[in-house]
Amino acid sequence: MQNIMPVSYKLLKGMNESLVLNIIRQRGPISRVDIARLTGLTQPTVTNITNKLMESNLIMEYMMGESSGGRRPVLLKMNPESLNVIVIHISSNKLSAYLTDGDINVIKQDTGKIKNLNKEQIIDMMHEYIARYQNEAKAQLPGIGVVVHGPVKAREGISIFAPNIGWKNVPIKFIVEDKFHIPTFVENDVRAMTLGEFYYGAARDVNNMVFLKVGYGIGSGIILDGRLYRGVGDSAGEIGHTTIDVGGPQCGCGNYGCLEAMASENALVKTMVKSIKEGRDSMVFDLVGGNLEDVTPEIVYEAAANGDILASRILRQIARYLGIAVANAINTFNPELIVIGGGITRAKSFIEETMMETVKCRALESCFQDVRISFSAMGDEATLKGAADMVMAEVL
């Protein structure tokens, strides 16, 4: 690491200093007046704290804001050169590595395929990227974030079970910290996406939301009163394993009729393949050259976009199951916002109408009338920003 800019974190030992910095990080560019309003601190206190933060190179004056009648306010934001963060995202088939600046802009990004690799090989790849980015960092590197699929013990930094790669009880935090001696924080991919949407996406202006990720599997993240709800055993949000149809197909968890077995992208592919094998016509068969092992969600979406009747019918079926799940979440949590993310967002035009009709029919009117339902526009960016935010929230 060359030419590292020195940054003092000593002043962040004060609660107010940390509060102000996090508001600027997550809400910036923002004026001192708005910081005072959001924190409840007096304007002189905010001015004093922000001056100290600028002296320590953590924040910067960014631009002039719009006038609301008086002088135009100066907007503050995180200083991009204040720090660097490494984020590792281990998904079903690939490992993505990111080096970001203090404003969560991506400086460098790499991707490696991990399909058919064992645990040791995946860890070696992770170590390789971390070592490379550690040497390329131009600012202090106070933390590393690792995102994995499946349940985690966030405090202990343990990946309890990652079905996509066969991990069980892997102590990621210990493994990384033992090698690099940098504080490391581990999170489930859906919760990381939830944090990204909450602080930087569609949910920036709400205090209560449910994020529903529909991809190869299905999971959710829950924000209550502005805080991520984890549950007693750090397992809250497993909406994919709630029962939708007691007579439904077997899920990977061993139960029958789970939402994940009925409405995930994996379920979409299985349903399409099964239907074709049973003799139903679909252009999907031609798109994969007759090799049904090559069917992917993207191919089903392509077929639907080209008017394929079977693909459209299966997507409407998926939409009904998702509508039931969304209605259940609305009735349970009464949130301000439901955000749907994951690969299924590529099928928005085919599922939205049916899903919304189902939600409207099944959700209680008292809960439904106040909720907004939207599809995420952030994609994987939500995972990256959520993971980087997690690291900075812990460190700062």
Side-chain angles (χ1 to χ4, degrees):
M1 292 185 293
Q2 303 296 325
N3 302 321
I4 300 300
M5 177 183 290
V7 175
S8 172
Y9 298 105
K10 291 182 180 179
L11 64 90
L12 296 176
K13 291 181 179 179
M15 182 181 298
N16 289 342
E17 286 78 3
S18 294
L19 178 62
V20 170
L21 180 60
N22 282 320
I23 288 290
I24 294 171
R25 270 197 323 104
Q26 296 162 346
R27 300 275 184 167
I30 187 172
S31 70
R32 291 176 175 85
V33 171
D34 285 337
I35 294 171
R37 177 178 57 81
L38 289 170
T39 61
L41 299 174
T42 65
Q43 289 195 34
T45 298
V46 169
T47 299
N48 183 46
I49 291 173
T50 54
N51 287 343
K52 290 180 180 179
L53 292 173
M54 282 193 292
E55 290 172 3
S56 296
N57 295 317
L58 284 166
I59 66 170
M60 60 185 288
E61 293 184 337
Y62 177 59
M63 61 183 291
M64 301 298 293
E66 295 295 327
S67 172
S68 58
R71 291 190 305 172
R72 295 175 64 191
V74 176
L75 302 185
L76 305 172
K77 64 176 286 188
M78 193 76 179
N79 181 2
E81 298 181 354
S82 60
L83 56 84
N84 289 147
V85 172
I86 293 174
V87 172
I88 304 292
H89 181 195
I90 304 171
S91 58
S92 299
N93 299 310
K94 64 182 181 180
L95 184 153
S96 301
Y98 306 89
L99 178 66
T100 80
D101 63 21
D103 204 29
I104 318 186
N105 301 305
V106 176
I107 300 171
K108 189 171 180 60
Q109 175 182 354
D110 287 287
T111 301
K113 295 181 179 179
I114 62 171
K115 191 173 182 179
N116 300 322
L117 297 187
N118 60 36
K119 182 183 76 174
E120 288 71 26
Q121 290 171 318
I122 295 173
I123 289 174
D124 286 344
M125 182 185 293
M126 176 174 66
H127 283 169
E128 178 185 340
Y129 285 132
I130 292 174
R132 184 188 308 172
Y133 288 177
Q134 184 181 27
N135 289 330
E136 294 178 0
K138 300 299 183 182
Q140 291 187 48
L141 188 63
I144 297 169
V146 181
V147 178
V148 294
H149 179 63
V152 302
K153 290 183 179 178
R155 186 177 297 277
E156 295 88 347
I158 297 173
S159 172
I160 300 173
F161 177 50
N164 52 329
I165 50 179
W167 282 11
K168 286 187 177 180
N169 296 317
V170 178
I172 298 176
K173 179 179 175 68
F174 171 80
I175 290 171
V176 176
E177 289 184 349
D178 185 58
K179 184 173 182 65
F180 295 99
H181 309 291
I182 298 173
T184 300
F185 308 93
V186 180
E187 188 54 276
N188 162 273
D189 58 347
V190 181
R191 288 182 181 162
M193 291 187 81
T194 303
L195 292 172
E197 287 286 351
F198 183 65
Y199 289 121
Y200 305 100
R204 290 190 73 174
D205 298 321
V206 304
N207 285 318
N208 297 276
M209 58 100 58
V210 175
F211 178 79
L212 181 67
K213 180 189 178 185
V214 184
Y216 182 85
I218 296 180
S220 70
I222 304 161
I223 301 286
L224 299 178
D225 293 330
R227 297 176 65 88
L228 183 67
Y229 177 70
R230 295 183 174 277
V232 175
D234 209 6
S235 298
E238 291 293 341
I239 195 171
H241 300 292
T242 54
T243 301
I244 298 297
D245 182 355
V246 293
Q250 187 172 25
C251 180
C253 71
N255 204 346
Y256 288 85
C258 291
L259 176 65
E260 187 168 297
M262 309 287 289
S264 65
E265 287 190 309
N266 187 37
L268 170 67
V269 169
K270 285 184 175 181
T271 303
M272 173 57 75
V273 170
K274 181 174 181 289
S275 297
I276 293 175
K277 287 182 176 179
E278 290 173 347
R280 294 178 177 85
D281 291 329
S282 173
M283 69 175 64
V284 168
F285 184 82
D286 296 324
L287 289 172
V288 296
N291 186 359
L292 295 180
E293 291 184 359
D294 290 339
V295 176
T296 64
E298 292 80 6
I299 288 174
V300 179
Y301 303 149
E302 180 182 349
N306 286 293
D308 187 79
I309 295 174
L310 181 60
S312 297
R313 182 179 64 79
I314 293 174
L315 282 168
R316 286 195 299 272
Q317 176 179 301
I318 295 286
R320 282 191 289 272
Y321 293 138
L322 289 177
I324 293 171
V326 171
N328 289 343
I330 291 172
N331 290 344
T332 301
F333 297 105
N334 191 202
E336 299 167 73
L337 177 67
I338 299 276
V339 179
I340 299 168
I344 201 69
T345 58
R346 292 169 292 188
K348 176 184 175 182
S349 61
F350 306 109
I351 68 172
E352 185 174 22
E353 182 177 351
T354 300
M355 186 192 75
M356 291 300 296
E357 288 176 354
T358 305
V359 173
K360 188 174 182 179
C361 289
R362 292 181 175 269
L364 293 173
E365 184 177 354
S366 59
C367 298
F368 180 74
Q369 65 184 5
D370 295 322
V371 71
R372 289 187 292 115
I373 301 172
S374 67
F375 285 77
S376 173
M378 294 187 71
D380 288 339
E381 182 188 12
T383 308
L384 167 64
K385 286 187 175 291
D389 184 89
M390 167 189 70
V391 172
M392 288 193 279
E394 293 287 347
V395 171
L396 300 178

